Amino acid sequence: MSLSQQQARQQNRGGGNYQRRDQAPAPRTENQQLSDQARYAQRLGWLMGEIEQLKPEITAVLPVAVSFDRFRVIVMMAVRTKPEILDCHGPSVVTACLKAAYDGLMPDGRQAAIIPSNNKVTEGGRTFWRKEARYGSMVAGLRMQIIKGGKVDDVKTEIVYANEVTSGRFKYRPAAAEPIVHDAIVIDSERGPAVGAYSVAFLSNGRVTAEYMTEQQILDVRDEAQSGPVWKGKFDKEMWRKTVLRRHRKALPGCNDIIDMEAREMFPQFAQAVLPAPSAAPTRPDRRAFQQIDHVPDLAINDFGRPGFGGGEMSDEEMEIEEAAVRGEQPAQQQMRAADPPGEDGLSNQQPMPETPAAWEQWADRVKTTVLGFKDLDQVNAFRQQQQRFIDACPAPLSEEVSDGFFDAIANLTQPGTTEQGERR
């Protein structure tokens, strides 16, 4: 009996799995399909259980307008839309969901996405390939983060092509009122190669700012990235847009509290400390109120158990230090308060509120001059917190100028090539 006759007899009996290479894969049997469904349901149940256990942490970082239940449903929809996510290493999927929550973005494929990828890992002394999930923010998600800061009405980012530059359809004029002029070529074959990317932001105060990066500048950022696959393939130009948007964001107001987990993971040059949005300083307790705290023993009030602080009545310096501790101030903030005590000519939050336009202008000039002289991010943050009461009450044009002064100082201290303390490397 020939080989072909044996194969035909075996297939007619329903036994064997012989299949020619040029044939399409055999359809999965009903039992195999049920097994796939059971495995899918088991992994989905495990993932949803892990998300439920992390509910307190996720709820604490989600935006106020987004409930935990909505976030959980969006994660489930993302998995059902792309079932291969469940084939990834389980903890990596949970980590990707957590990163999305910390960024305040939904992994719905528009704001952010959970992306399966093959990674080389080393565990237990051996190296092997494993399918893991990676979190990635989208251009729309980055734009939403910037606009939610309340200082930017809209922000756009686009790619610039060679023929747009040579034909005069693109112009970048940083000092002009309209810094970007772009008449895009919409036919792919007529564009030529990509030569750069830009971001343009329309601020709430009417100003327009822009950032432009050449191809080489973007490729330099790519070379510094810790994850290269996202720069390859048909979506590489999305990384161009995200790169220039991230650089522009560093100079935009209202973006201090953006975390950007993807940038911290991929781009070390973008992972520098960013100041959180300053909050209003708490009410300062006076000496009498502080000494009447009933849950602190008298010995602790007089001595505090530290060398150099003997018993008896506390000095003004000692009382100032302890009051600062009650306010939760850091050493840099205490130094700021000591260097700038309350007074009519000082810039303390204890000074009287200006009442006339001229007084407000004088206050704004002093603030802008002072903040530009700081060499430390802690000093900027402490000074911003100290002046927050006045910034909130200041008339709109001046308050915007003062806020811009703080943002300029922060941008100068956090730009690439500086340390967290603002010193050049």
Side-chain angles (χ1 to χ4, degrees):
M1 183 182 294
S2 65
L3 178 61
S4 59
Q5 291 175 332
Q6 293 177 358
Q7 294 168 351
R9 177 178 295 183
Q10 189 177 27
Q11 289 179 341
N12 290 334
R13 290 177 180 176
N17 296 317
Y18 173 78
Q19 177 183 324
R20 291 175 52 183
R21 292 184 179 179
D22 58 350
Q23 289 179 336
R28 300 182 67 81
T29 64
E30 183 177 353
N31 288 337
Q32 289 174 329
Q33 293 177 2
L34 291 175
S35 177
D36 292 342
Q37 293 174 4
R39 185 172 65 254
Y40 174 88
Q42 181 183 13
R43 293 181 178 179
L44 180 60
W46 176 86
L47 175 61
M48 292 297 103
E50 292 294 311
I51 297 295
E52 189 69 31
Q53 290 184 4
L54 294 170
K55 179 177 180 178
E57 182 176 357
I58 293 176
T59 304
V61 298
L62 282 175
V64 178
V66 179
S67 66
F68 172 79
D69 291 336
R70 180 185 176 190
F71 179 81
R72 181 179 55 186
V73 169
I74 290 177
V75 171
M76 185 179 298
M77 291 177 60
V79 172
R80 289 181 175 176
T81 303
K82 190 180 291 187
E84 55 267 31
I85 292 176
L86 292 179
D87 294 331
C88 298
H89 185 54
S92 69
V93 181
V94 177
T95 301
C97 295
L98 279 176
K99 289 181 178 179
Y102 271 88
D103 271 354
L105 301 178
M106 301 298 103
D108 54 4
R110 188 180 67 87
Q111 298 180 10
I114 301 174
I115 308 168
S117 61
N118 292 318
N119 298 330
K120 183 181 290 187
V121 297
T122 302
E123 289 183 358
R126 64 189 185 96
T127 301
F128 56 95
W129 289 91
R130 182 169 65 192
K131 194 171 185 179
E132 295 184 332
R134 181 182 62 81
Y135 163 74
S137 55
M138 302 296 191
V139 172
L142 297 180
R143 291 181 63 246
M144 188 190 72
Q145 288 180 322
I146 294 173
I147 295 173
K148 285 178 63 177
K151 300 291 186 179
V152 179
D153 290 339
D154 195 12
V155 58
K156 300 181 183 299
T157 174
E158 294 294 343
I159 304 296
V160 180
Y161 296 90
N163 291 343
E164 294 173 344
V165 176
T166 56
S167 62
R169 300 167 71 108
F170 174 79
K171 295 181 181 180
Y172 175 50
R173 305 170 298 182
E178 186 179 3
I180 295 290
V181 176
H182 188 196
D183 184 11
I185 298 177
V186 296
I187 301 177
D188 291 341
S189 60
E190 298 180 0
R191 288 176 172 176
V195 295
Y198 70 86
S199 169
V200 57
F202 304 88
L203 307 187
S204 301
N205 60 6
R207 293 172 53 194
V208 180
T209 67
E211 182 76 28
Y212 176 76
M213 294 180 67
T214 65
E215 177 186 16
Q216 187 58 51
Q217 289 175 320
I218 295 174
L219 295 182
D220 289 342
V221 174
R222 181 200 63 183
D223 294 340
E224 293 293 330
Q226 295 182 356
S227 179
V230 295
W231 292 85
K232 301 176 182 178
K234 59 183 179 180
F235 297 114
D236 63 324
K237 295 302 182 290
E238 290 300 296
M239 293 303 301
W240 285 39
R241 298 174 66 197
K242 289 162 64 174
T243 299
V244 69
L245 188 58
R246 284 186 169 113
R247 175 168 292 188
H248 191 195
R249 182 182 63 194
K250 295 163 67 176
L252 293 177
C255 299
N256 293 338
D257 58 345
I258 296 177
I259 300 177
D260 200 343
M261 297 299 295
E262 183 187 44
R264 289 172 178 263
E265 179 181 357
M266 293 176 56
F267 307 110
Q269 66 271 37
F270 291 122
Q272 299 183 10
V274 179
L275 295 179
S279 57
T283 304
R284 174 177 176 174
D286 58 18
R287 179 188 293 265
R288 180 176 302 176
F290 186 83
Q291 290 180 329
Q292 289 178 351
I293 297 178
D294 55 4
H295 66 275
V296 181
D298 292 339
L299 178 62
I301 293 180
N302 292 333
D303 189 3
F304 289 94
R306 293 195 300 273
F309 285 82
E313 184 177 358
M314 295 179 64
S315 66
D316 291 340
E317 180 182 0
E318 296 169 2
M319 180 64 72
E320 180 68 15
I321 293 175
E322 298 310 323
E323 289 179 0
V326 171
R327 291 190 298 270
E329 293 182 354
Q330 301 299 320
Q333 293 173 300
Q334 299 177 25
Q335 294 172 7
M336 275 298 309
R337 186 179 295 274
D340 190 13
E344 185 177 354
D345 298 330
L347 286 171
S348 168
N349 62 357
Q350 300 297 311
Q351 72 179 96
M353 189 74 68
E355 298 180 355
T356 64
W360 276 116
E361 292 180 1
Q362 185 178 9
W363 166 82
D365 291 339
R366 294 203 306 268
V367 169
K368 289 185 290 185
T369 302
T370 302
V371 73
L372 291 177
F374 289 139
K375 303 298 183 183
D376 190 296
L377 288 175
D378 290 337
Q379 289 181 323
V380 178
N381 191 31
F383 189 59
R384 174 63 183 264
Q385 183 175 355
Q386 185 186 78
Q387 297 297 311
Q388 187 62 45
R389 180 170 67 96
F390 299 93
I391 296 175
D392 293 339
C394 182
L398 285 178
S399 64
E400 294 290 345
E401 293 180 11
V402 172
S403 296
D404 289 345
F406 278 99
F407 293 126
D408 290 343
I410 293 171
N412 291 336
L413 294 174
T414 58
Q415 63 184 353
T418 62
T419 64
E420 292 187 6
Q421 300 302 321
E423 298 176 354
R424 288 283 175 181
R425 292 190 180 97

